[in-house]
Amino acid sequence: MPSPHTHAVSDPSPGHHGDSHPIRFHGAAAAYVSTKRYTDFSCCHRQPSHIGHCAFVHGYSRSFFFTFGAIELDRCGFVVDFGGLKELKAYLDDMFDHTLLLNEDDPLLDKFRELEAAGAAKIRTMPYGVGMEGTARHLCEYADKLVREMTKGRCWVESVESRENEKNSAIYTNPQAGMWGIQHTGVLR
Ligand SMILES: [Zn+2]
């Protein structure tokens, strides 16, 4: 796997704005970044292996801060059209609005599933754990796939910050950030 953050290699001529020469990119770094914040998702979680009070179900108002990157802008001059991110907002609502977040290997998962069946909770399991770090990684992978598909590889996710309150957050930096593969630059999408 080529390492990210290497520079674009022209293939064969670099092209300039308005041309459509194919250029092969190897994780080329962003020229532009934009940010989008989604705030105040009411949810709760527990850390089953924590020696202390985080093993108890407790809740926060979570917020998510996405940073997007691109080398070229779209025809409106955007890194990513936030109006096109309805699928991301819908996913955040489904995962974090009045939900109980649990680790996939929570030893009490079956017990919590009984409560869910009785109507007491809406459970969502987290592939990298319920913490801010694991949440940021999961959302980074989800949103990176989404925006690359949306923009035919023009745009990607640089990083995601997951915040549980005013004081605590974690940031996941995308190891796959950058532009990959062959792009026809100058053709705005
Ligand atoms: Zn805690």
Side-chain angles (χ1 to χ4, degrees):
M1 162 123 2
S3 67
H5 304 300
T6 55
H7 290 288
V9 177
S10 62
D11 185 33
S13 65
H16 40 81
H17 200 73
D19 289 350
S20 61
H21 297 299
I23 295 182
R24 184 181 300 278
F25 290 95
H26 301 278
Y32 299 94
V33 296
S34 68
T35 68
K36 178 73 176 167
R37 194 181 291 269
Y38 298 91
T39 59
D40 302 329
F41 292 81
S42 301
C43 54
C44 59
H45 67 260
R46 81 179 199 109
Q47 295 276 11
S49 54
H50 190 255
I51 313 295
H53 58 192
C54 285
F56 301 133
V57 174
H58 58 298
Y60 291 110
S61 176
R62 292 196 185 202
S63 294
F64 310 106
F65 186 52
F66 292 81
T67 303
F68 302 97
I71 291 172
E72 293 198 318
L73 304 177
D74 72 6
R75 54 184 80 243
C76 295
F78 299 144
V79 170
V80 60
D81 182 358
F82 295 142
L85 292 178
K86 292 186 175 65
E87 192 176 328
L88 177 57
K89 175 62 165 60
Y91 186 69
L92 296 176
D93 283 336
D94 181 66
M95 290 295 290
F96 303 109
D97 185 17
H98 289 75
T99 52
L100 167 57
L101 303 168
L102 296 171
N103 291 353
E104 287 177 345
D105 61 354
D106 190 308
L108 295 178
L109 188 55
D110 289 346
K111 298 260 185 217
F112 284 113
R113 289 285 187 205
E114 286 176 30
L115 287 172
E116 182 179 47
K122 184 167 109 178
I123 291 172
R124 294 292 179 264
T125 56
M126 300 294 288
Y128 303 117
V130 299
M132 294 306 105
E133 294 84 348
T135 300
R137 177 179 176 184
H138 174 58
L139 290 179
C140 183
E141 291 177 1
Y142 178 88
D144 188 61
K145 184 170 183 290
L146 183 73
V147 296
R148 285 184 196 270
E149 284 171 5
M150 252 175 65
T151 64
K152 299 186 177 72
R154 186 186 53 77
C155 171
W156 59 85
V157 174
E158 288 276 317
S159 65
V160 176
E161 180 177 8
S162 179
R163 180 167 285 280
E164 63 184 8
N165 57 32
E166 280 289 299
K167 288 177 275 189
N168 305 336
S169 80
I171 296 171
Y172 183 76
T173 303
N174 188 2
Q176 295 300 316
M179 185 178 273
W180 295 91
I182 295 170
Q183 299 287 327
H184 294 267
T185 65
V187 179
L188 296 179
R189 299 171 188 91

